[in-house]
């Protein structure tokens, strides 16, 4: 190809921005690629917070978010706007990341325009169509639409092979591990005022995040009740919980936990703060996908606040454990890690099965390979 390969990256939520950031940086350096960015802004504040810390300036902003948006709202608005945009921009390749509505709609809009799609973080599966909802189906549909599949691990590649996908699969590692290379530092000064002034010495901090659609309701109430018991029982334990902007989440978390001694509810923090807080904390309780991938590299045990995970690599490596969404079980699992030193040490091993920090480099090489400009990348082992 004699002209530049025009790559349009489409993303819209916090985790997509974080995981696309190192890839955008890598594509920006490459002399064969013209890298353009379109954000759907399915998230507004939480996306902008990440665009700012990474210094990403989108070329196109579809600004679709509205309060209490439904899946249909995001799908229809983003699809309509993206379809028009793709007709004008005419990229050679559209990149989408993960499993959100933006991911699926980005891939569908590209397909309608007969533009090939590259899927970053392809092949994750729980094999349960309603858990996580709607992400499991979003990622399966995206795999059907995509031509290039950047699978983070061997296991994710195997999931794709089982679904009959035979070409365009590259095992790259997860780009989130690339991010960790430059966010965490020993002498880090937090941006968030509460964290900047928080004295970590002599305290065991439990970092908590929860936002999954299927957890909103009784499961999230159970989680909050378990946290309240833990914080009340252990005087050296502090729970730090940056609460997602979703009003449906906030309406449950704040009434149940605000004012509880040693429980600190924050607004979403930026990813530099998050990664450094993870590095300083004792353990993590979360239903987030991204955090399950980040924690193993930092040697922090994770209790997964869900009934299953599409990221079993961490469970197999022994650094994460499914704790479910029942109050008693979460409480007991947390208690075990607070009291049983050998159980804690068994889980607190720093080894990341999701990547080695070179995923973006491999993805760029794979893109060049597809356009006849490079050898294929080595697989991530
Ligand atoms: C979305 C993704 C989910 C991902 C999560 C990451 C879908 C269906 N879900 O879920 O896979 O794990 O993002 O966080 O794509 N809101 C704000 N400001 C923001 C962000 C959200 O006010 O910056 C509020 C809005 O009222 C919005 C609501 O949160 O309606 C829910 O946002 P939405 O993107 O629909 O779903 P999430 O639960 O965030
Ligand atoms: N994160 C963040 N600030 C927060 C909570 C999470 O920067 O207040 C980061 C976290 O480190 C991870 C990503 O956001 O990289 C996960 O996003 P989220 O939990 O919203 O989505 P999921 O990964 O579950 O799709």
């Amino acid at each position: 190809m004699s002209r530049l390969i025009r790559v349009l990256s489409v993303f819209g939520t916090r985790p997509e921005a974080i995981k696309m950031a190192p890839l955008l940086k890598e594509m920006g350096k490459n002399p064969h690629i013209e890298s353009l960015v379109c954000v759907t802004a399915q998230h507004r504040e939480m996306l902008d917070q990440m665009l700012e810390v990474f210094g990403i300036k989108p070329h196109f902003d579809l600004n679709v978010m509205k309060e209490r948006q439904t899946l249909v709202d995001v799908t229809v608005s983003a699809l309509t706007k993206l379809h028009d945009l793709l007709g004008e921009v005419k990229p050679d390749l559209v990149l989408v990341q993960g499993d959100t509505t933006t991911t699926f709609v980005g891939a569908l809009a590209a397909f309608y325009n007969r533009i090939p799609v590259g899927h970053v973080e392809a092949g994750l599966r729980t094999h349960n169509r309603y858990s996580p909802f709607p992400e499991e189906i979003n990622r399966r549909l995206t795999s059907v639409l995509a031509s290039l599949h950047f699978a983070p691990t061997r296991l994710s590649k195997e999931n794709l092979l089982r679904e009959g996908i035979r070409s365009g699969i590259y095992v790259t590692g997860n780009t989130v591990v690339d991010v960790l290379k430059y966010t965490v530092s020993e002498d880090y000064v937090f941006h968030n005022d509460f964290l900047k002034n928080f004295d970590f010495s002599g305290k065991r901090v439990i970092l908590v995040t929860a936002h999954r659609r299927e957890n909103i309701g009784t499961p999230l109430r159970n989680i909050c009740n378990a946290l309240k018991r833990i914080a009340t029982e252990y005087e050296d334990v502090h729970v730090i919980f940056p609460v997602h902007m979703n009003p449906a989440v906030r309406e449950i978390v704040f009434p149940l936990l605000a004012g509880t001694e040693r429980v600190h509810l924050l607004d979403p923090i930026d990813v530099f703060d998050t990664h450094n807080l993870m590095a300083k904390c004792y353990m993590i309780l979360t239903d987030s996908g991204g955090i399950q991938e980040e924690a193993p590299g930092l040697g922090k045990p994770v209790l997964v606040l869900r009934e299953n995970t599409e990221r079993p690599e961490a469970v197999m490596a022994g650094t994460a454990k499914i704790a479910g969404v029942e109050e008693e079980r979460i409480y007991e699992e947390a208690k075990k890690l607070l009291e049983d030193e050998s159980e804690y040490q068994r889980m607190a091993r720093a080894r990341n099965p999701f990547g080695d920090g070179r995923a973006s480099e491999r993805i760029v090489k794979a893109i060049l390979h597809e356009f006849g400009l490079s050898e294929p990348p080595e697989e991530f082992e």
Side-chain angles (χ1 to χ4, degrees), residues 52-113:
E52 197 187 325
V53 288
F54 289 116
I56 300 169
K57 294 191 173 50
H59 301 84
F60 312 99
D61 188 330
L62 307 183
N63 201 24
V64 306
M65 193 194 96
K66 53 183 192 184
E67 203 176 310
R68 293 176 199 270
Q69 61 203 5
T70 63
L71 297 174
V72 174
D73 291 333
V74 181
T75 305
V76 171
S77 175
L79 185 61
T80 309
K81 292 179 175 185
L82 264 174
H83 184 65
D84 293 346
L85 182 79
L86 291 174
E88 285 168 31
V89 177
K90 298 190 181 4
D92 300 303
L93 178 69
V94 165
L95 289 182
V96 295
Q97 196 286 334
D99 53 18
T100 70
T101 299
T102 291
T103 315
F104 162 56
V105 169
L108 184 61
F111 170 69
Y112 284 165
N113 282 275

Side-chain angles (χ1 to χ4, degrees), residues 1 9 65 88 90 94-95 98 104 122 129 133 140 147 169 200 225 233 254 270 289 291 315-316 320 325 370:
M1 201 160 165
S9 298
M65 193 194 96
E88 285 168 31
K90 298 190 181 4
V94 165
L95 289 182
F104 162 56
R129 60 172 50 223
F133 172 84
R140 283 202 232 169
S147 312
I169 307 177
F200 285 83
N225 289 331
E233 202 166 307
F254 278 92
D270 73 50
I291 292 180
V315 177
M316 292 185 297
V325 289
E370 291 290 333

Side-chain angles (χ1 to χ4, degrees), residues 85-370:
L85 182 79
L86 291 174
E88 285 168 31
V89 177
K90 298 190 181 4
D92 300 303
L93 178 69
V94 165
L95 289 182
V96 295
Q97 196 286 334
D99 53 18
T100 70
T101 299
T102 291
T103 315
F104 162 56
V105 169
L108 184 61
F111 170 69
Y112 284 165
N113 282 275
R114 296 173 188 262
I115 299 166
V117 175
H119 184 200
V120 178
E121 197 181 277
L124 279 63
R125 300 290 184 266
T126 58
H127 307 288
N128 178 337
R129 60 172 50 223
Y130 291 113
S131 178
F133 172 84
E135 291 83 1
E136 174 72 4
I137 291 299
N138 281 345
R139 53 198 175 216
R140 283 202 232 169
L141 293 170
T142 305
S143 293
V144 174
L145 293 163
S147 312
L148 303 181
H149 312 266
F150 306 115
T153 66
R154 274 280 168 78
L155 193 72
S156 39
K157 176 178 176 174
E158 281 161 22
N159 286 334
L160 294 169
L161 292 172
R162 259 197 297 277
E163 289 171 16
I165 295 170
R166 287 287 172 266
S167 62
I169 307 177
Y170 296 89
V171 180
T172 60
N174 196 305
T175 55
V176 84
V177 183
D178 305 8
V179 182
L180 280 165
K181 273 200 309 199
Y182 60 95
T183 48
V184 180
S185 61
E186 278 287 328
D187 54 353
Y188 183 76
V189 179
F190 285 100
H191 304 152
N192 175 279
D193 282 336
F194 168 82
L195 294 172
K196 199 185 283 177
N197 295 313
F198 186 78
D199 180 6
F200 285 83
S201 56
K203 300 186 177 93
R204 290 190 288 178
V205 168
I206 302 181
L207 169 63
V208 179
T209 79
H211 73 277
R212 296 241 80 83
R213 216 164 262 262
E214 63 276 12
N215 275 350
I216 294 173
T218 305
L220 187 53
R221 276 190 285 275
N222 293 343
I223 292 166
C224 291
N225 289 331
L227 293 172
K228 199 172 197 153
R229 281 169 69 188
I230 294 158
T232 309
E233 202 166 307
Y234 294 89
E235 288 193 357
D236 67 330
V237 167
H238 284 246
V239 171
I240 302 185
F241 186 167
V243 188
H244 195 283
M245 295 296 288
N246 189 345
V249 171
R250 296 173 87 86
E251 280 159 11
I252 295 174
V253 173
F254 278 92
L256 281 172
L257 290 177
T260 308
E261 218 178 329
R262 295 186 292 279
V263 174
H264 313 283
L265 303 179
L266 312 182
D267 283 335
I269 53 179
D270 73 50
V271 71
F272 286 76
D273 275 2
T274 308
H275 287 175
N276 284 282
L277 180 57
M278 289 172 74
K280 283 192 164 52
C281 78
Y282 180 79
M283 66 173 166
I284 299 164
L285 271 63
T286 189
D287 67 6
S288 158
I291 292 180
Q292 289 177 61
E293 292 155 344
E294 294 159 346
L298 297 167
K300 303 299 169 166
V302 175
L303 295 179
V304 180
L305 303 171
R306 293 172 48 182
E307 294 296 359
N308 54 29
T309 179
E310 58 293 283
R311 294 162 169 95
E313 293 89 343
V315 177
M316 292 185 297
T319 62
K321 196 169 182 181
I322 302 284
V325 289
E326 299 298 332
E327 177 184 330
E328 197 58 31
R329 182 156 160 222
I330 297 166
Y331 168 78
E332 287 298 337
E333 293 291 357
K335 199 176 157 79
K336 204 182 292 170
L337 283 168
L338 288 165
E339 289 183 3
D340 184 340
E341 180 62 22
S342 64
E343 173 72 3
Y344 182 83
Q345 289 307 337
R346 199 184 58 75
M347 286 185 74
R349 277 174 303 185
R351 181 186 162 267
N352 200 326
F354 297 105
D356 58 1
R358 293 181 45 226
S360 309
E361 198 185 301
R362 291 191 186 91
I363 293 171
V364 169
K365 202 163 178 195
I367 293 171
L368 297 181
H369 174 65
E370 291 290 333

